[in-house]
Amino acid sequence: MKIEFENHIIEVNVQYGKRKKISIHIDSLGLITVKVPNVTSHEMIISAVEHHGKWILEKSRENAAAREAPKPREYENKGKFLYLGKEYFLHELIDTGELNEEELKRNLKKFYFSSCKKIIGERINRYQIQLRVKPKTIEVVESSTKWGSCSSDKKVTFNYRLAMAPIEVIDYVIIHELCHLLHMNHDRSFWRRVGSIIPDYKKKEAFLARYGQAMTL
């Protein structure tokens, strides 16, 4: 949902649920979520966002500045890391025990690799059936440039850092690569096939372009 405020466009994700009040949350990636009661009208949502408009813009600028100048990762109890689009303390993801920083880094990367393999393995099956395709091999790798790839011999790979992304973004990358089994280039037929399953695929691409640099160790 897009709302204009003081010549700025504020894009928010609206979540309806069993709650009594409207609340607004902005995470470190700059995603704005408005949680509202089930019966809330669009007018009420707009009014709430406009009421907190100055705070939203200020907080968004702060987050953007922080992303441009990222701080070194803190491999300790206060350090936070992304998993499926949300931030977690390090000890919530892996056993920290009495490990040193190098051991923590190594174990955290293993966690992301194993998690990504599990998530990809579970979710790719449904889309293989839907698209009527089957990769020759499926592999999770480390890459600094690509979220996924598909070779001409039907080998599909995925970046382990995808485990840091929201599940709907992971689904997009899976579908993107599977569609390359049908169309190796990015022609109209390819994008029509992607769009037939994920109509808002451009939003998923925009998410990776905007927040991809934060999805790292």
Side-chain angles (χ1 to χ4, degrees), residues 5 11 47 55 68 86 127 132 147 154 206:
F5 178 79
E11 188 167 354
S47 178
W55 172 78
E68 290 175 3
K86 296 181 180 180
Y127 297 120
R132 297 181 180 178
W147 295 108
K154 298 186 177 182

Side-chain angles (χ1 to χ4, degrees), residues 6-21:
E6 294 187 352
N7 297 321
H8 291 84
I9 299 298
I10 299 176
E11 188 167 354
V12 302
N13 175 39
V14 181
Q15 291 183 359
Y16 294 88
K18 294 182 179 179
R19 53 192 299 117
K20 294 182 180 180
K21 297 181 179 179

Side-chain angles (χ1 to χ4, degrees), residues 14 28 34 39 41 50 54 64 70 73 76 82 86 92 102 106 108 124 179 196-197 208 213:
V14 181
S28 61
V34 183
V39 295
S41 66
E50 290 177 342
K54 291 186 182 296
R73 292 291 187 185
E76 55 184 32
L82 288 168
K86 296 181 180 180
E92 294 179 298
E102 286 304 313
R106 185 167 57 250
L108 184 59
I124 200 170
C179 283
S196 69
I197 302 176
L208 290 171
Q213 65 178 5

Side-chain angles (χ1 to χ4, degrees), residues 134-186:
K134 187 172 180 60
K136 184 177 180 180
T137 61
I138 302 168
E139 188 178 1
V140 173
V141 301
E142 181 172 2
S143 173
S144 60
T145 59
K146 295 181 178 180
W147 295 108
S149 67
C150 176
S151 67
S152 57
D153 56 354
K154 298 186 177 182
K155 294 180 180 180
V156 178
T157 64
F158 297 97
N159 193 325
Y160 82 95
R161 293 187 292 120
L162 278 173
M164 303 178 192
I167 199 69
E168 61 270 19
V169 174
I170 298 175
D171 282 349
Y172 160 68
V173 177
I174 291 173
I175 291 165
H176 184 113
E177 301 311 328
L178 289 182
C179 283
H180 275 314
L181 296 173
L182 300 170
H183 309 279
M184 281 306 296
N185 54 18
H186 292 95

Side-chain angles (χ1 to χ4, degrees), residues 5-217:
F5 178 79
E6 294 187 352
N7 297 321
H8 291 84
I9 299 298
I10 299 176
E11 188 167 354
V12 302
N13 175 39
V14 181
Q15 291 183 359
Y16 294 88
K18 294 182 179 179
R19 53 192 299 117
K20 294 182 180 180
K21 297 181 179 179
I22 296 176
S23 62
I24 300 175
H25 306 268
I26 305 177
D27 66 17
S28 61
L29 295 179
L31 294 176
I32 305 168
T33 302
V34 183
K35 298 182 179 181
V36 302
N38 285 323
V39 295
T40 307
S41 66
H42 276 203
E43 289 74 18
M44 292 178 67
I45 296 171
I46 293 171
S47 178
V49 171
E50 290 177 342
H51 181 71
H52 294 89
K54 291 186 182 296
W55 172 78
I56 291 172
L57 292 178
E58 182 179 349
K59 189 69 176 176
S60 297
R61 292 190 193 103
E62 290 177 359
N63 287 343
R67 290 194 300 273
E68 290 175 3
K71 298 179 180 178
R73 292 291 187 185
E74 295 183 20
Y75 287 85
E76 55 184 32
N77 290 335
K78 293 182 180 179
K80 286 188 175 182
F81 297 83
L82 288 168
Y83 179 58
L84 295 182
K86 296 181 180 180
E87 286 189 324
Y88 292 88
F89 289 110
L90 183 60
H91 66 83
E92 294 179 298
L93 299 177
I94 63 172
D95 180 16
T96 54
E98 297 182 1
L99 304 178
N100 61 40
E101 184 171 316
E102 286 304 313
E103 291 171 327
L104 291 172
K105 287 181 180 180
R106 185 167 57 250
N107 289 355
L108 184 59
K109 181 176 282 190
K110 287 181 180 178
F111 165 78
Y112 282 122
F113 260 98
S114 62
S115 296
C116 190
K117 287 179 181 178
K118 183 174 184 292
I119 295 165
I120 295 293
E122 290 174 348
R123 303 189 73 79
I124 200 170
N125 287 331
R126 72 176 71 177
Y127 297 120
Q128 286 183 163
I129 295 171
Q130 192 169 352
L131 289 166
R132 297 181 180 178
V133 297
K134 187 172 180 60
K136 184 177 180 180
T137 61
I138 302 168
E139 188 178 1
V140 173
V141 301
E142 181 172 2
S143 173
S144 60
T145 59
K146 295 181 178 180
W147 295 108
S149 67
C150 176
S151 67
S152 57
D153 56 354
K154 298 186 177 182
K155 294 180 180 180
V156 178
T157 64
F158 297 97
N159 193 325
Y160 82 95
R161 293 187 292 120
L162 278 173
M164 303 178 192
I167 199 69
E168 61 270 19
V169 174
I170 298 175
D171 282 349
Y172 160 68
V173 177
I174 291 173
I175 291 165
H176 184 113
E177 301 311 328
L178 289 182
C179 283
H180 275 314
L181 296 173
L182 300 170
H183 309 279
M184 281 306 296
N185 54 18
H186 292 95
D187 59 12
R188 288 185 179 181
S189 297
F190 169 82
W191 289 116
R192 277 199 298 268
R193 199 69 186 94
V194 172
S196 69
I197 302 176
I198 302 186
D200 64 344
Y201 68 85
K202 288 186 178 180
K203 288 186 177 180
K204 310 301 186 290
E205 284 197 316
F207 177 95
L208 290 171
R210 183 176 180 183
Y211 304 118
Q213 65 178 5
M215 293 160 52
T216 186
L217 295 181

